[in-house]
Amino acid sequence: RAPLRRQRAALSGWLEAAWLKPHLPPMSELHKFIFDGLPVRGQLVRLTDAWQEVLRRRAANTQTGAWPPVVAEMLGEMAAATVLMQGNIKFDGALIMQIFGDGPLKLAVAEVQPDLRLRATASVVQSVTPGMALPELVNRHGRGRCAITLDPRRRREGQQAYQGVVPLVDEGGAPLQTLASVLEHYMRQSEQLDTTLVLAADEQVAAGLLIQRLPVQGQDNLSQSSVAREDAGSAADDDYQRIRLLAHSLQRAELLSLDADTLLHRLFWQEPLLRFAPLAGHQGPRFACSCSRERVAAMLQGLGQPEAESILAERGEIEVGCDFCGPQQRFDAVDVARLFPPAAQQSPQPGSVQ
């Protein structure tokens, strides 16, 4: 009977795994590649479980509910683009993308840590109708902006976060219609790098393809040439423009539905593509939020006891929610009293007079 019980247990485990496998979303992944001998590099990101977790937490928030589909789509594109930009640099800190302006979408934020932990949120202040384009969402009167912030994890004394800000218009002042065109414009203006982006998102996947031209001369030159040559520059430009056109042939449905192997082969099967091992699982993009009850408590202590007690007297409790991950932290009178113990119970501070 013992062997039979073991067989039943094994069969039960196999059936459970077989049932769960098709029902669990595939892991999010980031693929990096170069074109051998050409000054062009690229990345492909597919956010599946990470993106679905962002949407699930927002939908579960009883105070806000789910984002309108057009807002969720733009936020998904932002999340994918932020992973691509973080994966493209060597920086020990968070990369934060913000889109803000004067439309119904007040603010959208995507943040990616150097180990590819990500979170994203958006604040909607007016009604949003299906099919709204970027100018209608955030740039109705020309005050829309895109900000990219690099926030160091370990700041040296006096060191500040780096931030680049660009308007949501092109060089001629015409409104840019897509997030991809905004970021391509940002890369040309702020980084002096020709960049091609294709972005898409729905309720299951947020995905993006990045193609970038590297300088012909200097440290990042794949040919290792230290001499500037007009013919080399012309050839490099031809190579980039050819690969750029191939990238722009990618359709939204393909980007959202095709796996990485199929997509890259379909686009670049005639190009000298060299791929690196994909980043997935604990090394790849994944949802994570840094909020905690302890951090909220520290924020309340920073407000000070009079302000905290004023909120408590007005509302009966202090409630603070995280816009990124949804949980509501509540502090009643007893909790607040613990945050501000009587002076006699507090440890003496260095240099203070008791």
Side-chain angles (χ1 to χ4, degrees):
R1 293 185 179 180
L4 181 58
R5 284 197 296 269
R6 286 196 295 269
Q7 290 177 1
R8 286 176 176 172
L11 179 60
S12 175
W14 181 86
L15 289 173
E16 181 179 1
W19 185 87
L20 284 174
K21 187 174 181 179
H23 292 79
L24 291 174
M27 288 188 297
S28 302
E29 52 191 16
L30 175 65
H31 299 259
K32 299 183 179 183
F33 52 89
I34 61 174
F35 295 86
D36 191 23
L38 308 180
V40 184
R41 65 183 174 186
Q43 293 184 88
L44 173 67
V45 65
R46 286 181 56 80
L47 302 179
T48 49
D49 55 344
W51 174 234
Q52 291 172 33
E53 183 64 13
V54 171
L55 295 180
R56 185 193 69 78
R57 287 175 176 266
R58 176 69 180 199
N61 189 324
T62 56
Q63 294 187 344
T64 62
W67 290 297
V70 67
V71 172
E73 180 178 333
M74 196 190 86
L75 189 62
E77 292 184 1
M78 287 179 61
T82 308
V83 171
L84 290 170
M85 295 178 73
Q86 177 68 277
N88 218 24
I89 61 176
K90 294 181 179 179
F91 176 69
D92 186 20
L95 190 150
I96 306 164
M97 180 187 300
Q98 300 176 73
I99 300 287
F100 52 92
D102 51 9
L105 177 60
K106 181 180 180 181
L107 173 68
V109 183
E111 176 188 289
V112 179
Q113 298 295 329
D115 62 356
L116 301 183
R117 289 176 292 125
L118 68 91
R119 59 182 187 171
T121 189
S123 174
V124 180
V125 296
Q126 300 173 27
S127 61
V128 175
T129 57
M132 271 189 170
L134 182 67
E136 298 174 280
L137 277 174
V138 291
N139 199 31
R140 285 185 171 177
H141 304 290
R143 292 194 287 270
R145 297 291 185 270
C146 172
I148 306 293
T149 304
L150 297 178
D151 189 10
R153 184 161 53 178
R154 300 179 182 88
R155 292 195 188 187
R156 299 185 298 272
E157 184 177 354
Q159 184 181 15
Q160 300 293 322
Y162 165 81
Q163 185 177 76
V165 183
V166 294
L168 306 183
V169 296
D170 62 16
E171 291 84 350
L176 295 168
Q177 298 297 312
T178 66
L179 176 66
S181 60
V182 169
L183 296 177
E184 289 174 355
H185 176 63
Y186 172 88
M187 295 302 292
R188 286 194 302 271
Q189 295 293 315
S190 300
E191 307 298 329
Q192 288 78 51
L193 288 174
D194 289 328
T195 303
T196 298
L197 273 167
V198 185
L199 302 169
D202 60 15
E203 69 279 2
Q204 298 294 325
V205 181
L209 174 68
L210 178 146
I211 298 295
Q212 196 166 69
R213 175 182 172 175
L214 296 174
V216 173
Q217 178 178 347
Q219 178 178 334
D220 292 321
N221 180 9
L222 295 180
S223 68
Q224 300 298 315
S225 172
S226 59
V227 179
R229 300 188 306 272
E230 291 185 5
D231 58 337
S234 176
D237 186 64
D238 291 344
D239 292 330
Y240 171 73
Q241 292 300 330
R242 182 182 70 255
I243 294 171
R244 175 180 177 274
L245 289 175
L246 292 174
H248 273 305
S249 71
L250 180 61
Q251 300 298 307
R252 180 178 187 272
E254 293 176 308
L255 182 56
L256 292 174
S257 63
L258 296 180
D259 62 85
D261 294 342
T262 302
L263 188 152
L264 292 175
H265 177 74
R266 182 175 294 187
L267 286 177
F268 306 123
W269 66 276
Q270 288 185 309
E271 301 294 336
L273 193 68
L274 294 180
R275 297 175 57 183
F276 301 95
L279 299 175
H282 293 299
Q283 293 183 321
R286 59 204 183 279
F287 173 83
C289 189
S290 58
C291 74
S292 67
R293 186 173 179 84
E294 290 72 22
R295 296 187 69 171
V296 175
M299 180 198 71
L300 294 177
Q301 289 174 322
L303 287 177
Q305 186 172 2
E307 181 67 19
E309 290 181 344
S310 173
I311 300 173
L312 196 63
E314 179 183 344
R315 304 180 183 178
E317 66 176 5
I318 300 175
E319 183 178 10
V320 180
C322 177
D323 287 338
F324 287 98
C325 64
Q328 306 290 314
Q329 302 291 347
R330 294 177 173 84
F331 293 78
D332 59 19
V334 175
D335 297 323
V336 172
R338 290 171 178 166
L339 295 178
F340 302 100
Q345 299 179 16
Q346 297 185 35
S347 301
Q349 298 297 315
S352 63
V353 177
Q354 300 297 317

